[in-house]
């Protein structure tokens, strides 16, 4: 038996944990640089404010309807997410963190008599310990547990936030209720094609006469999804895997036209890539620099630019990766042009314990000792306080965050002060 645990309106719920007066109030969360709406509370959905819309287009409407607006507080959301996942590990060791607010759980080999009650226990514990509301859906496959979760979310009073698809009658009823656009893995374009073929629900998707069409449009992925919806488990819990490529890219809060300013951003991105490599005990051979000009202010059609460098030795050092990225920047950057985005991608990643040493050209061995000191300090402090000389010492990301809430759980300066009389 599988379960999908999904945090309800996760970003908005995180803001409400430390600001309970916002419970029941409409809340929206904005993307990087306060660009678009990426999360809405249920109250906002009822107001008809669209998901993904640019903030400036609905700014007046948000004010008129007294909607609370927040910038993305990823430090807070990431910390609360890890706490939710840690609580779920107490219910089963077989867990796959699917996204920041979702996790699949597997209960094979466990003696659980009443799954709905078990889901209610999960919900109550997370609510009691973290004040984050969740919904839980149980089924024999991962795809069906997604459907069960939607039912638990849609009908909280009837299901108490936990629903189990454990009979053929429940499965068919649930599939007929689920719209095709709500099926796991069916995106906007596929939805249009499905609807054109009169495939309007998940149940229609499983009908035999649609097999050839599904195979043509989705290939083996579609066949597997169909089997999952039929109750045949073919997708297992995925074990955490090291990333094959690591990318750090950001849009700027304003235009960048000078080399010195771009150099600081690129160096910071390369440093974060190095930190991520060390976190998964890996090194890389390849570094790619990505630059994007303002596409509305370029004379030619091309506005995306890439350049790659292969290192003579595998590395995860801030110094090596940063200096290489800056070298690529010198070759790619054009003075006077307007840049809106940049990024560093590390590739050709290998495990650190499989690193090949070279006789004539090798990285300074002092780098590894220095990196360990930096990582240990950052782990204790929770912030990137030790940086290279060409980095901004005040901020890691220069993003516009005019509505940012405090980092209640990750920054000592933002911890609540409680006065007892």
């Amino acid at each position: 038996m599988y379960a999908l645990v999904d945090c309800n309106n996760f970003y908005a719920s995180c803001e409400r944990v430390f600001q309970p007066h916002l419970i029941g109030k409409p809340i929206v969360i904005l993307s990087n640089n306060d660009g678009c709406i990426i999360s809405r509370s249920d109250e906002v959905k009822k107001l008809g404010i669209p998901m993904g819309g640019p903030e400036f287009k609905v700014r007046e409407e948000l004010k008129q309807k007294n909607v609370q607006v927040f910038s993305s507080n990823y430090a807070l959301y990431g910390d609360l997410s890890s706490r939710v996942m840690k609580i779920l590990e107490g219910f089963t060791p077989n867990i796959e963190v699917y996204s920041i607010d979702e996790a699949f759980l597997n209960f094979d080999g466990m003696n659980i008599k009443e799954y709905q009650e078990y889901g209610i226990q999960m919900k109550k514990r997370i609510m009691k310990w973290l004040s984050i509301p969740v919904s839980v859906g149980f089924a024999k496959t991962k795809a069906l547990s997604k459907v069960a979760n939607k039912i638990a979310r849609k009908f909280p009073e009837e299901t108490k936030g936990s629903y189990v698809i454990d009979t053929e009658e429940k499965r068919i009823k649930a599939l007929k209720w689920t719209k095709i656009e709500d099926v796991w893995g069916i995106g906007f374009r596929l939805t249009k094609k499905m609807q054109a073929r009169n495939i309007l629900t998940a149940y229609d998707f499983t009908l035999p006469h649609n097999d050839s069409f599904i195979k043509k449009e989705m290939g083996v992925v579609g066949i597997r999804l169909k089997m999952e919806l039929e109750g045949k488990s073919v997708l297992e819990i995925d074990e955490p895997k090291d990333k094959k490529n690591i990318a750090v890219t950001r849009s700027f809060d304003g235009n960048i036209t000078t080399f010195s300013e771009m150099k600081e951003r690129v160096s910071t991105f390369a440093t974060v890539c190095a930190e991520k490599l060390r976190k998964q005990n890996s090194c890389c051979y390849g570094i790619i620099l990505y630059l994007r000009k303002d596409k509305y202010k370029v004379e030619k059609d091309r506005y995306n630019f890439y350049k790659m460098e292969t290192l003579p030795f595998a590395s995860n050092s801030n110094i090596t990766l940063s200096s290489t990225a800056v070298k690529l920047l010198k070759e790619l950057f054009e003075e006077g042009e307007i840049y809106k985005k940049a990024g560093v991608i590390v590739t050709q990643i290998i495990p650190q314990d499989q690193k090949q040493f070279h006789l004539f050209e090798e990285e300074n061995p002092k780098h590894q000792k220095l990196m360990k000191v930096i990582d240990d300090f950052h782990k204790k402090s929770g912030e990137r306080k030790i940086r290279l000389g060409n980095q901004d010492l005040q901020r890691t990301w220069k993003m516009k965050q005019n509505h940012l809430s405090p980092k209640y759980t990750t920054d000592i300066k933002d911890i609540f002060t409680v006065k007892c009389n």
Side-chain angles (χ1 to χ4, degrees):
M1 184 68 81
Y2 289 91
L4 176 71
V5 180
D6 184 14
C7 300
N8 302 341
N9 301 322
F10 182 60
Y11 289 177
S13 296
C14 289
E15 299 292 349
R16 286 169 170 166
V17 169
F18 298 95
Q19 302 180 74
H21 65 277
L22 295 176
I23 295 174
K25 304 288 180 64
I27 296 175
V28 297
I29 312 297
L30 304 179
S31 62
N32 292 340
N33 295 316
D34 293 346
C36 302
I37 295 173
I38 59 171
S39 180
R40 303 170 297 165
S41 66
D42 289 337
E43 295 79 11
V44 173
K45 295 173 185 178
K46 292 177 182 178
L47 293 174
I49 296 173
M51 181 73 162
E55 183 270 342
F56 74 91
K57 288 188 176 182
V58 293
R59 188 173 298 161
E60 290 303 316
E61 185 180 1
L62 293 173
K63 290 180 180 178
Q64 292 172 5
K65 296 180 178 178
N66 297 317
V67 177
Q68 301 291 319
V69 179
F70 290 94
S71 302
S72 295
N73 190 341
Y74 294 121
L76 176 65
Y77 307 154
D79 183 63
L80 289 180
S81 172
S82 65
R83 295 177 188 229
V84 170
M85 303 309 165
K86 197 68 179 177
I87 293 173
L88 292 176
E89 288 175 2
F91 290 91
T92 175
N94 302 317
I95 178 172
E96 174 193 341
V97 179
Y98 184 65
S99 67
I100 193 170
D101 62 345
E102 289 180 287
F104 285 106
L105 283 68
N106 183 278
F107 302 97
D108 289 351
M110 297 180 63
N111 185 20
I112 300 172
K113 295 180 180 179
E114 181 56 57
Y115 281 102
Q116 185 185 20
E117 183 58 36
Y118 203 61
I120 293 173
Q121 289 180 32
M122 295 184 204
K123 182 180 173 69
K124 286 182 176 179
R125 185 176 299 180
I126 294 171
M127 191 66 188
K128 183 177 181 179
W129 291 6
L130 295 178
S131 297
I132 299 288
V134 303
S135 300
V136 187
F138 293 90
K140 293 181 179 180
T141 71
K142 290 172 74 173
L144 280 176
S145 70
K146 272 268 192 181
V147 175
N149 184 278
K150 288 184 180 295
I151 295 173
R153 179 81 170 85
K154 183 70 174 179
F155 306 102
E157 293 183 4
E158 295 87 340
T159 64
K160 298 181 180 179
S162 176
Y163 186 72
V164 186
I165 298 178
D166 53 0
T167 66
E168 187 66 7
E169 182 183 358
K170 282 185 178 181
R171 183 186 71 84
I172 293 174
K173 186 177 180 180
L175 294 185
K176 288 183 177 180
W177 173 81
T178 304
K179 296 178 181 178
I180 189 63
E181 58 265 33
D182 294 330
V183 174
W184 186 27
I186 304 294
F188 176 78
R189 293 182 179 178
L190 271 176
T191 294
K192 294 298 181 184
K193 291 181 179 181
M194 297 288 176
Q195 291 173 340
R197 293 276 301 195
N198 205 33
I199 303 175
L200 306 178
T201 66
Y203 180 74
D204 296 334
F205 186 86
T206 63
L207 296 177
H209 66 269
N210 291 317
D211 285 0
S212 58
F213 173 75
I214 292 170
K215 188 174 183 179
K216 177 184 175 183
E217 294 295 331
M218 299 180 68
V220 67
V221 174
I223 299 301
R224 287 178 178 174
L225 176 58
K226 180 177 181 293
M227 294 175 68
E228 284 269 317
L229 293 175
E230 291 172 339
K232 305 167 187 174
S233 180
V234 293
L235 302 176
E236 298 180 351
I237 294 290
D238 291 334
E239 294 294 329
K241 297 178 181 178
D242 293 339
K243 295 180 179 179
K244 295 182 179 180
N245 296 301
I246 294 175
V248 178
T249 63
R250 291 292 185 276
S251 297
F252 306 130
D253 58 345
N255 296 329
I256 287 185
T257 57
T258 64
F259 178 81
S260 60
E261 194 174 6
M262 182 66 83
K263 178 182 176 182
E264 191 279 328
R265 291 292 82 203
V266 167
S267 178
T268 297
F269 298 161
T271 297
V272 176
C273 283
E275 291 175 4
K276 291 184 176 183
L277 282 170
R278 295 196 298 274
K279 192 173 182 180
Q280 68 174 37
N281 297 314
S282 298
C283 299
C284 76
Y285 275 105
I287 302 178
I288 301 170
L289 175 66
Y290 162 66
L291 297 180
R292 180 175 181 174
K293 296 180 180 178
D294 187 338
K295 64 180 179 180
Y296 300 107
K297 297 181 181 179
V298 291
E299 296 181 358
K300 300 179 181 179
D301 292 337
R302 187 183 177 192
Y303 53 87
N304 288 315
F305 299 86
Y306 295 86
K307 196 168 186 65
M308 181 175 176
E309 175 90 0
T310 299
L311 299 172
F313 46 78
S315 175
N316 57 18
S317 164
N318 293 8
I319 300 170
T320 300
L321 269 59
S322 174
S323 60
T324 305
V326 171
K327 174 189 172 185
L328 293 173
L329 180 64
K330 290 178 181 178
E331 300 172 4
L332 206 56
F333 188 83
E334 297 179 46
E335 288 284 355
E337 294 290 331
I338 300 173
Y339 291 90
K340 300 293 290 184
K341 188 175 183 179
V344 173
I345 306 164
V346 293
T347 185
Q348 300 178 38
I349 295 174
I350 63 168
Q352 189 167 354
D353 58 6
Q354 295 180 17
K355 179 179 177 181
Q356 296 289 325
F357 291 93
H358 299 266
L359 182 61
F360 299 106
E361 192 170 11
E362 187 55 70
E363 188 173 65
N364 189 329
K366 293 181 180 180
H367 283 203
Q368 288 303 312
K369 294 181 180 180
L370 178 59
M371 294 305 110
K372 187 177 186 310
V373 171
I374 292 175
D375 291 341
D376 289 344
F377 178 82
H378 289 169
K379 189 175 181 179
K380 290 180 181 178
S381 66
E383 294 185 76
R384 294 187 179 99
K385 290 293 186 182
I386 302 177
R387 305 182 189 177
L388 301 180
N390 59 6
Q391 289 182 256
D392 189 324
L393 300 179
Q394 300 302 317
R395 298 173 64 187
T396 302
W397 309 124
K398 290 187 172 180
M399 291 192 299
K400 181 168 67 176
Q401 294 178 306
N402 295 331
H403 311 281
L404 186 64
S405 58
K407 302 171 185 176
Y408 299 102
T409 63
T410 59
D411 193 328
I412 191 69
K413 299 189 298 295
D414 291 337
I415 291 179
F416 269 127
T417 301
V418 179
K419 296 181 179 180
C420 299
N421 296 324

